[in-house]
Amino acid sequence: MERTLILFKPDCVERRLVGRILSRFEDKGFGLVAMKLLRITPELAKQHYAEHVEKPFYPSLEKFITASPVVAAVLEGPEVIRVVRDMLGPTNGLNAPAGTIRGDFGSSRQMNLVHASDGPEAAKREIEIYFRADEIHSWTPTLAPWLQAEDEK
Ligand code: CMP
C-alpha cells in the first residue's frame, strides 16, 4: 500500500472542480487519509518546488500557486503514486489525452489543476511538508474486499 500527496491547485479551486476531480480518485478506489484547505505562502512554495526555484518559469509558478487557496490531500492505495500520475496525464493540458484529468479539464502548462508526487521519495517529503503525523488517518474502508482480491495484495 502506497501514499501520495496531491494538491488541488488554485485554478482547480477557483474553477470549482475539486469535487469532480476528487470523485475520479475515489471512483478508482483510492482512499482519502488526509485533507485540508490552505494558502501556500512564498516560503512554502519554495520548499515544495525546491527543484524548480532556479528555473525561468519559477516566479510565474510561485505567483500562480500562492494566488488562491489550495486543497492538499493524501491518497492511499496500491501503486497510487504511479496511477494518480497516469490519471492526471502530461503536464500540459493541451498535450494530455482525452480521458485524463488534464486532458478533460485543462488547456494550460502552468494551470494544470492538480499536483501529484512523482515517486516514493517525493511522496514522503511532500506529505511531511503538508501534514503532521496526527493529521493522517489510517483506516480500512468497508469496501476494501471489493476493490482488490486477497491474492493481489
Ligand atoms: P507540477 O506537476 O505541480 O510541478 C511543477 C509545476 O510547474 C507544474 O506542475 C506546472 O504547474 C509548472 N510548470 C512546469 N513546467 C512549466 C513551464 N515550462 N512553464 C510554466 N510552468 C511550468
Side-chain angles (χ1 to χ4, degrees):
M1 208 50 106
E2 281 183 353
R3 287 177 177 174
T4 194
L5 185 280
I6 60 171
L7 282 183
F8 298 92
K9 297 185 185 187
D11 55 326
C12 190
V13 174
E14 290 279 1
R15 291 174 60 193
R16 285 140 164 78
L17 289 172
V18 175
R20 288 168 73 186
I21 295 178
L22 178 60
S23 288
R24 292 208 182 197
F25 300 130
E26 291 190 308
D27 288 349
K28 182 72 180 170
F30 293 136
L32 199 50
V33 295
M35 187 152 91
K36 66 169 82 160
L37 181 80
L38 72 145
R39 189 75 175 248
I40 295 187
T41 61
E43 294 69 31
L44 180 55
K46 288 183 185 75
Q47 189 183 1
H48 177 115
Y49 285 127
E51 65 181 301
H52 298 307
V53 168
E54 301 302 328
K55 300 208 175 130
F57 63 80
Y58 182 77
S60 172
L61 173 60
E62 184 180 290
K63 189 171 171 207
F64 157 61
I65 206 74
T66 60
S68 292
V70 301
V71 175
V74 180
L75 292 177
E76 188 175 81
E79 299 183 45
V80 67
I81 297 170
R82 176 187 61 78
V83 176
V84 164
R85 297 272 300 186
D86 289 347
M87 290 173 72
L88 290 181
T91 301
N92 188 334
L94 294 177
N95 299 330
T100 64
I101 289 163
R102 289 168 179 158
D104 289 351
F105 295 105
S107 51
S108 167
R109 181 171 57 186
Q110 180 179 79
M111 298 187 188
N112 59 5
L113 299 151
V114 181
H115 165 85
S117 308
D118 66 6
E121 280 177 28
K124 181 175 184 306
R125 186 182 79 84
E126 293 172 3
I127 289 169
E128 286 172 2
I129 289 175
Y130 289 92
F131 293 97
R132 299 189 312 265
D134 67 355
E135 293 177 313
I136 300 173
H137 303 278
S138 282
W139 56 291
T140 304
T142 311
L143 282 178
W146 297 103
L147 294 170
Q148 246 193 348
E150 276 302 317
D151 60 6
E152 288 181 291
K153 290 176 188 161

